[in-house]
Amino acid sequence: MILYSRATHGSVLELEHMNVGDSRLAIVELPSPKPASSWLVNEIRKHQEAIQHVGSNGHLVLRTSSPETLSRLESSPALETLAPNSYIWAVGRSPMGSPIGCSLLHGPSDQSPLDGSLLNAFVRSAELSALAEESGAIYRADDCVFELPSGLHADSFIRFASVLTRPANIALVADWILPLLKNHDVVVADTGSILSLLEHLRCQASLDGCTLTVDAFAGYPAASNLAESLDLLRERHGDDKRIVFIVSVSSSGSTVRALEALKGVDDLIVIVVDATGSEEGEEHSSLCRFPVSSHKSSQLPTDTSTPTTNTGECSRCAGKGLLAIDTATYEVRSHYEWNRIKVSPTLAREGKPFWEAVERTDSLVTHGGDPLGVHRAYWIDVERLYSDQEMVETATHRLSAHSPDADLIVIPGGSAQEHRIAIASLALPSARILLTDRDDVSAADAEKIISARQPLILAEVAVSGWTLARFRERINYRCAALPGNGTNPAIGLFVLVLRPSGTRSDISSPTNPGANSRAEQRLARRYRTPTSAGIGFANRVYMAPDSRCPFCIETELLRSARQLFDRNDSQRVQINDRIRELNQTFAYDRHWTSAMEDPATHRTFGSFFGELSAPVAFAAAASAAERILLTFRDSRNGRTIDVVDVRAALEAYYDHVFLYGLFRTFPKGLLRGPGADSELMECISEWAQGPLPLASCQELAFAIACGNLPFTLSEVVTTAAQDDPYVKMMLRIAALMAR
């Protein structure tokens, strides 16, 4: 095992796959020197782990890119005290065209068991491997395969440009290439992503009194176009110049074989990392060998700009994601396809009876407090809602279908208790009704529950599920306290409004069409009977958790952005006024109403969601969006990316208030999928060509400030808004926060 120690970067890498026979080898990287005479010894002592690793008769290599450090190493008498029983070597940069410096500074005997050139080969290979590992240049993924620029599939991929993000790394790599170069060479990189290395070579050559010209292929030098590329290079630089081709990583060997067939007699090929696993090829220099397993595939997509997937035609890659390598930059990116999610008419119609009942009964509280004073993004007043006969009939039918054998209906205190009594009497006329406190039951209540054959809780609403979960725990406690009772009763649960709140991570199964939220799972573990599965409900409505209140988000944005404005700035005054307005009232209704398609009734006439007023329409669209969020995939496999079909939404929902609900509910990752900004720009620009209501301009400006829409839409929105102060304020916030 070889140890590579970089105290300047705080890392020690163990290269277990590399060995130097029976000897131990440690490489210590030293920085540029400091004036103090004791600097060198103190610097080396930082690498105690490497010194201890070497032990007796091992090899300690002091590696530097600084000629001054190398000179001080060769003249330092204190080195023999650091590792007295080990061989201490100095390896550092030499002038261009000369072999890299390698000298034995100290050892137990005058003659080392290792030849200097052989040691250099070990150090070079170990150093480049360590730099690649430390820089994250080696990409590995158990559940993915990499499609190399050659078309082969591989289990891992090395992008050497990732090593060159640190100047110190560039200098170390350049040290191994400089000895191979000559004055007036033309050095050509296989990718522009390693041009920083070539520029460093050119600068070092100039310090040695030599001249180098650097260039790079525009894209992956495939065999099909390589001859033309070489002709252009020679035309640009002259036929009399020697060309040195720097191949950052050779994965399949196809580029190197093509270059060997076409290069001139004096031209040279330098492979920085040879990942082919082949030992052949005497006509080129491989600085480091790092074998990577690869194989041919029957599926070889060549246009990496087009999203695609691994369809499983390659038997060795079946079931794995496919990661492509960009042929120009060698960056890793997914082969993917977009799964465009639509807020479909079917989804809209599912909630239509509920939202129309909410409209009729005026039972929606938006951005306000519930009966207990807790702030809610949305709150359904169940007392008002179930004053509607249609809602009562729906609840009666669904209760009798869910629990036809229930013989005891437990109705806790709370809102709509009278309505629940009426529904229980209509749905299950033979069942007894037990009224209890909201949060607890008495000992007498517990006795009745224990004696019932199939008790059922009839509650008004379930949001987080904690209130009903604690109510169940109180029932268990009271029942356990009864003399002679050692079991907890099996109890069912039915709620008038099931309003689960959660996120995609709450889904029990990515393929579960019911999209059970954490609240439902929590209650399902506590309420179950032999004959009823899951929680019964009269109406299910999906709403965002209160922590994601789409209206509080605006207040939070304004408070954080306020610090970016000067105290005397008029827009800071405007921000403070808007914050006060949001805190005092629901400041959206008037703007939304002005954007309604039917100005006479201020209703969403003919909509799949129903004929609704602006706040209810917003909530209906937000509910549909939340329903989609709960059914999105919980994990992504590198093949398919879920994005919202914004174009379909813009074309389908003529009342803009529905779009406000979608834009404020969907996170930007689903609105702005990879590569989707250009499409968003196109479809929203087309949509904005017609006269946009001021409220729509304001909502678009707010979405841009939140990052849900690209900032490039600012010009479109500014033109449509005609100098509206709110739009100007939001777009300026977006510009300031983007800095």
Side-chain angles (χ1 to χ4, degrees):
M1 181 179 70
I2 297 178
L3 212 65
Y4 191 91
S5 180
R6 309 188 77 187
T8 51
H9 299 289
S11 62
V12 177
L13 289 92
E14 297 179 354
L15 305 173
E16 297 181 356
H17 62 286
M18 305 185 73
N19 293 287
V20 189
D22 296 330
S23 302
R24 289 176 175 266
L25 174 64
I27 305 167
V28 169
E29 180 193 337
L30 297 177
S32 298
K34 295 180 180 179
S37 58
S38 61
W39 166 82
L40 187 59
V41 174
N42 292 337
E43 189 66 38
I44 296 173
R45 281 176 176 160
K46 295 179 182 178
H47 302 263
Q48 284 301 315
E49 185 175 347
I51 295 173
Q52 292 171 8
H53 169 78
V54 170
S56 180
N57 293 315
H59 299 269
L60 179 65
V61 176
L62 306 180
R63 174 72 171 95
T64 178
S65 282
S66 165
E68 185 180 349
T69 302
L70 191 63
S71 174
R72 289 177 67 171
L73 284 171
E74 292 172 346
S75 60
S76 174
L79 292 178
E80 58 188 64
T81 62
L82 293 175
N85 299 318
S86 302
Y87 296 94
I88 301 178
W89 300 79
V91 174
R93 187 177 79 82
S94 296
M96 193 181 82
S98 304
I100 193 167
C102 178
S103 56
L104 179 63
L105 305 179
H106 167 75
S109 61
D110 294 335
Q111 188 170 2
S112 167
L114 271 182
D115 177 67
S117 59
L118 181 61
L119 179 77
N120 262 351
F122 279 121
V123 172
R124 182 184 65 220
S125 185
E127 181 169 85
L128 294 176
S129 295
L131 294 179
E133 289 278 4
E134 184 195 46
S135 305
I138 304 173
Y139 292 80
R140 303 182 180 94
D142 294 336
D143 57 348
C144 294
V145 292
F146 298 87
E147 186 187 59
L148 306 178
S150 63
L152 294 183
H153 286 185
D155 297 327
S156 56
F157 171 72
I158 303 171
R159 182 179 184 265
F160 200 75
S162 299
V163 173
L164 307 177
T165 55
R166 287 177 173 172
N169 293 358
I170 296 174
L172 292 172
V173 177
D175 287 352
W176 302 107
I177 299 177
L178 277 169
L180 306 174
L181 304 180
K182 298 178 181 178
N183 193 18
H184 303 301
D185 277 350
V186 177
V187 186
V188 179
D190 65 338
T191 166
S193 62
I194 64 167
L195 276 175
S196 58
L197 172 62
L198 271 62
E199 282 297 323
H200 185 87
L201 291 171
R202 187 176 62 81
C203 292
Q204 292 299 323
S206 67
L207 294 176
D208 295 333
C210 301
T211 302
L212 293 178
T213 305
V214 300
D215 207 335
F217 289 110
Y220 175 68
S224 58
N225 59 16
L226 189 57
E228 181 181 353
S229 299
L230 290 179
D231 289 342
L232 290 173
L233 279 173
R234 292 192 173 97
E235 182 180 331
R236 194 155 55 231
H237 301 294
D239 290 335
D240 58 332
K241 298 287 183 68
R242 186 179 82 143
I243 299 179
V244 179
F245 300 98
I246 306 295
V247 179
S248 56
V249 178
S250 176
S251 298
S252 66
S254 59
T255 297
V256 173
R257 289 191 293 271
L259 283 172
E260 286 178 343
L262 295 171
K263 72 180 182 66
V265 175
D266 296 328
D267 293 346
L268 177 67
I269 301 171
V270 177
I271 303 173
V272 181
V273 178
D274 187 346
T276 62
S278 172
E279 299 293 334
E280 301 177 359
E282 296 297 329
E283 304 201 18
H284 60 259
S285 299
S286 296
L287 302 184
C288 172
R289 296 188 185 276
F290 198 103
V292 171
S293 173
S294 60
H295 60 275
K296 292 183 178 180
S297 170
S298 57
Q299 179 198 11
L300 299 177
T302 56
D303 183 6
T304 58
S305 65
T306 303
T308 182
T309 61
N310 179 4
T311 61
E313 293 177 13
C314 177
S315 59
R316 292 178 61 178
C317 304
K320 294 184 177 182
L322 189 59
L323 299 173
I325 310 303
D326 188 283
T327 56
T329 64
Y330 289 12
E331 291 179 331
V332 178
R333 67 185 190 187
S334 294
H335 271 301
Y336 60 87
E337 65 179 6
W338 289 335
N339 180 36
R340 300 181 183 276
I341 307 295
K342 293 182 174 66
V343 183
S344 64
T346 302
L347 184 59
R349 288 193 190 100
E350 282 181 7
K352 181 178 179 179
F354 176 82
W355 291 111
E356 287 188 332
V358 169
E359 179 67 43
R360 288 193 300 270
T361 57
D362 191 23
S363 52
L364 175 68
V365 178
T366 308
H367 189 49
D370 66 9
L372 300 178
V374 178
H375 175 80
R376 302 289 188 187
Y378 312 92
W379 179 255
I380 305 297
D381 188 332
V382 181
E383 184 82 43
R384 284 189 176 187
L385 179 65
Y386 278 88
S387 64
D388 185 83
Q389 187 58 34
E390 186 177 323
M391 287 289 99
V392 172
E393 291 173 0
T394 300
T396 300
H397 171 71
R398 291 180 177 172
L399 175 57
S400 61
H402 179 266
S403 303
D405 300 325
D407 61 339
L408 178 67
I409 310 299
V410 181
I411 301 180
S415 64
Q417 189 176 46
E418 293 299 323
H419 294 307
R420 283 181 280 155
I421 293 172
I423 291 169
S425 300
L426 291 170
L428 302 166
S430 61
R432 292 174 297 149
I433 293 177
L434 174 63
L435 304 182
T436 71
D437 291 339
R438 182 183 185 90
D439 302 317
D440 202 354
V441 296
S442 65
D445 295 335
E447 288 183 354
K448 294 177 182 178
I449 293 172
I450 284 287
S451 63
R453 178 173 45 83
Q454 189 169 319
L456 176 76
I457 307 295
L458 178 55
E460 73 273 30
V461 64
V463 181
S464 67
W466 281 116
T467 300
L468 287 168
R470 285 191 290 267
F471 185 68
R472 171 67 207 225
E473 290 168 5
R474 296 305 301 170
I475 292 175
N476 290 347
Y477 173 77
R478 296 296 186 189
C479 291
L482 294 176
N485 181 52
T487 60
N488 292 323
I491 307 177
L493 175 63
F494 189 92
V495 295
L496 297 184
V497 177
L498 178 61
R499 205 215 88 173
S501 62
T503 60
R504 281 188 303 129
S505 61
D506 299 334
I507 303 174
S508 57
S509 169
T511 58
N512 179 10
N516 292 325
S517 70
R518 186 175 301 160
E520 292 174 76
Q521 296 173 23
R522 183 178 296 125
L523 294 174
R525 287 192 291 267
R526 291 167 171 81
Y527 292 96
R528 59 182 64 189
T529 67
T531 58
S532 64
I535 306 166
F537 56 88
N539 290 281
R540 174 191 246 153
V541 54
Y542 294 91
M543 304 307 288
D546 299 309
S547 59
R548 280 200 289 118
C549 174
F551 313 107
C552 292
I553 290 172
E554 182 177 348
T555 304
E556 293 167 4
L557 173 70
L558 293 173
R559 284 175 175 163
S560 60
R562 182 169 51 187
Q563 310 305 319
L564 303 175
F565 293 79
D566 294 335
R567 289 189 176 276
N568 298 325
D569 195 312
S570 61
Q571 286 189 328
R572 178 166 179 146
V573 176
Q574 184 184 355
I575 289 173
N576 290 331
D577 291 342
R578 178 64 176 174
I579 291 173
R580 280 192 294 271
E581 183 183 13
L582 293 172
N583 289 337
Q584 292 169 4
T585 182
F586 184 66
Y588 303 91
D589 194 6
R590 175 169 50 84
H591 297 286
W592 289 350
T593 301
S594 67
M596 301 297 282
E597 191 75 14
D598 186 351
T601 63
H602 298 303
R603 295 289 187 272
T604 55
F605 181 74
S607 168
F608 292 126
F609 287 101
E611 296 187 13
L612 312 173
S613 62
V616 179
F618 180 94
S623 176
E626 193 67 24
R627 173 73 171 86
I628 289 174
L629 283 176
L630 282 171
T631 53
F632 270 176
R633 290 172 181 81
D634 197 44
S635 61
R636 292 174 178 171
N637 57 12
R639 304 179 190 180
T640 305
I641 296 178
D642 294 325
V643 292
V644 177
D645 195 333
V646 176
R647 183 181 293 276
L650 293 174
E651 293 173 352
Y653 298 110
Y654 302 107
D655 282 296
H656 292 193
V657 68
F658 291 124
L659 298 173
Y660 309 160
L662 300 181
F663 283 144
R664 288 203 179 220
T665 304
F666 284 124
K668 64 181 177 182
L670 297 177
L671 288 169
R672 301 176 61 181
D677 276 5
S678 58
E679 184 177 356
L680 270 175
M681 274 286 298
E682 179 185 347
C683 65
I684 292 181
S685 298
E686 291 174 1
W687 179 65
Q689 285 179 359
L692 276 185
L694 181 58
S696 298
C697 297
Q698 292 175 345
E699 286 294 323
L700 289 175
F702 174 67
I704 292 170
C706 291
N708 284 6
L709 293 178
F711 184 75
T712 46
L713 279 170
S714 298
E715 185 176 347
V716 173
V717 177
T718 301
T719 303
Q722 299 181 350
D723 296 329
D724 176 65
Y726 179 90
V727 171
K728 283 184 173 180
M729 176 186 70
M730 280 298 172
L731 294 182
R732 188 179 174 195
I733 288 173
L736 290 173
M737 297 187 77
R739 290 179 181 176

